Amino acid sequence: QVQLVESGGGLVHPGGSLRLSCAASGFRLDANAIGWFRQAPGKEREGVSCFSSTFSKVYYADSVAGRFTISKDDAKSTVFLEMNSLKPEDTAVYYCAIDRGLYGSSCLQPRYNYWGQGTQVTVSS
């Protein structure tokens, strides 16, 4: 049984930082696609950052490039999203997802079969 559990969300001031974690069980991280997504109220779910299948190449959405960093610890089956210089428009529920066969930048598309429950990130003064 695949289980993904996100943590690390919260309330932060603009310009602040947060580090999200996603603990995975029942699914190997290495060689599989892993993505972070977010969904704000009234908006579609969008890809934030991901590791692609097989070669674990990293991709970022233009809106977060240079501010967010994705990383993973395969041995601990945990994926991280370091978020710096946060803006009010980063406010959303953040989800991690995992699956096979998502190559290249397709790992930024919400085509995953396995999702976590989400963690709320609110950026406000």
Side-chain angles (χ1 to χ4, degrees):
Q1 181 178 357
V2 179
Q3 188 174 18
L4 301 172
V5 180
E6 302 97 335
S7 61
L11 173 64
V12 64
H13 294 306
S17 298
L18 281 175
R19 189 191 196 204
L20 304 184
S21 299
C22 172
S25 59
F27 208 102
R28 293 173 62 94
L29 295 190
D30 56 305
N32 290 308
I34 309 153
W36 282 100
F37 293 80
R38 67 186 181 186
Q39 189 165 18
K43 294 188 177 181
E44 293 186 354
R45 189 167 297 189
E46 64 170 341
V48 174
S49 182
C50 63
F51 288 100
S52 64
S53 292
T54 306
F55 299 114
S56 294
K57 188 173 181 180
V58 172
Y59 293 88
Y60 294 97
D62 290 343
S63 58
V64 306
R67 299 188 297 122
F68 291 12
T69 302
I70 191 171
S71 62
K72 59 175 179 165
D73 185 331
D74 288 340
K76 296 183 178 179
S77 294
T78 303
V79 187
F80 305 97
L81 185 68
E82 185 76 33
M83 305 186 296
N84 298 314
S85 302
L86 283 162
K87 305 175 182 180
E89 52 263 43
D90 294 318
T91 296
V93 178
Y94 282 71
Y95 301 88
C96 65
I98 192 167
D99 212 333
R100 301 178 181 91
L102 293 171
Y103 303 103
S105 61
S106 70
C107 66
L108 280 175
Q109 301 301 315
R111 300 173 185 170
Y112 294 71
N113 283 311
Y114 305 104
W115 294 84
Q117 83 289 349
T119 185
Q120 176 71 46
V121 172
T122 302
V123 184
S124 175
S125 55

